[in-house]
Structures are given as structure tokens and as C-alpha cells.
Amino acid sequence: MGGRDTEVVLLDENGIRCDGRKIDEPRRIMIKAGVLKNANGSAYIEFGDNKILAGVYGPRDVHPKHMSNTDTGILRCRYHMQPFSVTERKNPAPSRREIEISKVIKEALEPAVMLDKFPRTAVDVFIEVLQADGGSRCAALDAASVALADAGIPMRDMVSACAAGKVADTIVLDVNNEEDQAGQADMPVGYMPNLEKITLLQLDGVLTPEEYKKCVQTGIDGCKLVYEIQKKALTDKYFAGGNE
Ligand code: ADP
């Protein structure tokens, strides 16, 4: 949320945003399931200019063994940005931000995954950001969820994610990088569409109570749109022609 005093026109007089979208319009989203042969499940997502790969391995033995739990399986998650994923080379070592995002994605997925069905084992989710453009944690969560389903991991629901935010005093769907930098608020939302439960909610910025409610609802609406694309990615892989 830096640089709020920059001169970018975030919303013009016709309600059109800096990248040509309407306030309730998401960026283009494309998801492909099953892209990594050596993973148990995988997915590739393009969410606007974000390009992200997710690979799922497991359930498999836990090393070191003392990390395992006799009552339940464990979920481990690593969100990592490639050095070339942003304009200035990013140090490949995990940053505080990547450690935080790995944690929130793991916690956003946990309510959906039936970990109790495979005690003593681990399911590992590896996320590689190839190109980042704002909202990468949501896009990463979307890909990870499809990759888990592709791996055949029993799940209570899909987790769908999309951010909402405040730009030029207006609540908008799916904040891009420019809006994230120059806008007033960014709220990533992760949501289980069938169970109607939120599993990720973060907020960077300041909102009134009314704006907060509208922002959460806008994020949920975005998640519902993403959910249809996640389902299509899976039906495209598992049912010829993707007919559901
Ligand atoms: P998210 O990607 O989930 O929106 P942030 O709000 O922390 O997460 O980051 C917003 C955007 O800032 C990222 O998507 C990326 O485009 C950019 N960004 C993040 N880290 C770096 C970095 N180390 N160097 C340059 N740009 C970065």
C-alpha cells in the first residue's frame, strides 16, 4: 500500500480502471490441471499477469519422523517466488513475505483437506511463482487447491481465492499490482464455495465498517467466479471435452 500519492488514474469518470476493467470485473483467469508428470497432482494458473505452478506430493512418509502425527496427516506448504518473477531480481532465499504467505496458504487449505484420513503422513504443496503481478497469494491458493484435487486428496470443498480492495474510494474486485501499490486497501479472500466458509481473510489498508462488509462480499463473489474455472480445469482433465 505504498505510494498512495502517485499520479496514476486508478478509476476514470466512466468507472473504468487503469487496466481497462470495470469495478466488478476480474482479470483473465486460466487454470490447467495435471501439468507436472512427477507430482501426484499439479496445476498451472494464469491470473492476469500472474503465472504460477503448484505441485502436490503425498500423502507420503514424514521426514523427520518426529514431525508426524499419529492421529492425522499434516499439510506442508511452500510459496516461493522465482528470482525472475518480478522486475528486479528477487533473492531466491525465502523472504519473510514468502514465509508468511506459505503459512496463510497452508491455513487456508487445511479446513478443506481431510487430513484425518491419512495419519502419520504429510501432503506437501509446492508453489512456484514464475511471474507476479499483485494478488499472487490468491492465485497460488487457487492453483494449490486444484493441484490437491488433481492428486486425489480427499477434500470437503475446493478453496477458491480472489482479492477485493478499495481504489479511488470505490470497492473493486481483483486488485492488480498497480492498484495494490497506489490504492487504498487490498483484501485477499479465500472461500469454500459449497460450505460457504471463509478460510483466508487479510486486509492491508483502512476501510469503514460498511466498506469492509462490501469488500468481503465482493471478494466472495470473485471466489465464486474462480470456483467455476477451477472446476472446469478438473473436468477438462478428467472428462474428455470438459463437459460437466
Ligand atoms: P500478493 O501477490 O498476494 O498481492 P503482496 O501484496 O505482498 O502479495 O505483493 C503484491 C505484489 O508486489 C506481488 O504480486 C508482486 O507483483 C510484487 N512483489 C512482491 N514481492 C516483490 C519483490 N520482492 N520485488 C518486486 N515486486 C514484488
Side-chain angles (χ1 to χ4, degrees):
M1 296 287 101
R4 275 171 210 161
D5 46 356
T6 48
E7 287 299 316
V8 193
V9 178
L10 292 174
L11 199 62
D12 73 12
E13 62 279 6
N14 301 316
I16 299 297
R17 293 154 70 180
C18 57
D19 58 4
R21 286 184 291 150
K22 301 194 195 95
I23 57 172
D24 59 351
E25 189 180 338
R27 289 172 284 182
R28 186 190 73 94
I29 305 165
M30 187 282 291
I31 308 176
K32 189 167 166 51
V35 291
L36 300 173
K37 180 167 83 83
N38 297 336
N40 294 106
S42 58
Y44 171 68
I45 187 166
E46 289 183 4
F47 199 126
D49 285 332
N50 290 288
K51 296 186 178 186
I52 302 173
L53 263 177
V56 167
Y57 297 77
R60 61 185 181 181
D61 287 347
V62 183
H63 298 291
K65 263 212 153 43
H66 69 84
M67 299 268 294
S68 68
N69 187 330
T70 47
D71 298 327
T72 182
I74 57 169
L75 188 66
R76 296 186 292 202
C77 192
R78 189 186 77 151
Y79 164 102
H80 180 247
M81 285 174 106
Q82 286 294 328
F84 54 80
S85 63
V86 285
T87 41
E88 276 202 24
R89 179 183 181 274
K90 189 216 150 265
N91 185 327
S95 61
R96 280 173 63 107
R97 176 179 167 276
E98 286 165 298
I99 294 166
E100 176 226 320
I101 295 180
S102 300
K103 179 176 184 289
V104 298
I105 291 179
K106 168 183 136 75
E107 289 173 357
L109 290 168
E110 265 170 350
V113 182
M114 296 183 181
L115 290 165
D116 50 311
K117 295 227 183 283
F118 29 87
R120 296 190 189 83
T121 66
V123 174
D124 289 304
V125 181
F126 294 102
I127 294 161
E128 288 296 334
V129 179
L130 310 178
Q131 184 168 287
D133 191 43
S136 69
R137 77 193 64 202
C138 289
L141 184 50
D142 294 327
S145 202
V146 172
L148 282 165
D150 181 47
I153 307 289
M155 290 163 81
R156 297 179 180 87
D157 199 353
M158 186 71 86
V159 180
S160 307
C162 190
K166 184 177 166 188
V167 162
D169 296 324
T170 309
I171 302 300
V172 299
L173 179 64
D174 183 23
V175 174
N176 68 24
N177 197 28
E178 205 167 359
E179 293 172 332
D180 186 17
Q181 301 300 316
Q184 295 155 302
D186 176 28
M187 177 191 277
V189 178
Y191 182 68
M192 294 192 286
N194 297 297
L195 296 174
E196 299 183 1
K197 283 197 164 37
I198 290 175
T199 67
L200 166 72
L201 187 69
Q202 294 184 288
L203 174 61
D204 184 7
V206 180
L207 298 173
T208 65
E210 288 70 35
E211 285 171 340
Y212 176 84
K213 278 190 212 144
K214 189 162 184 212
C215 213
V216 173
Q217 191 52 53
T218 302
I220 289 175
D221 293 344
C223 293
K224 289 179 181 168
L225 296 173
V226 171
Y227 176 56
E228 297 304 320
I229 299 164
Q230 290 174 304
K231 271 199 299 188
K232 184 171 182 308
L234 290 163
T235 51
D236 278 354
K237 179 177 173 194
Y238 288 99
F239 304 97
N243 50 335
E244 197 187 20

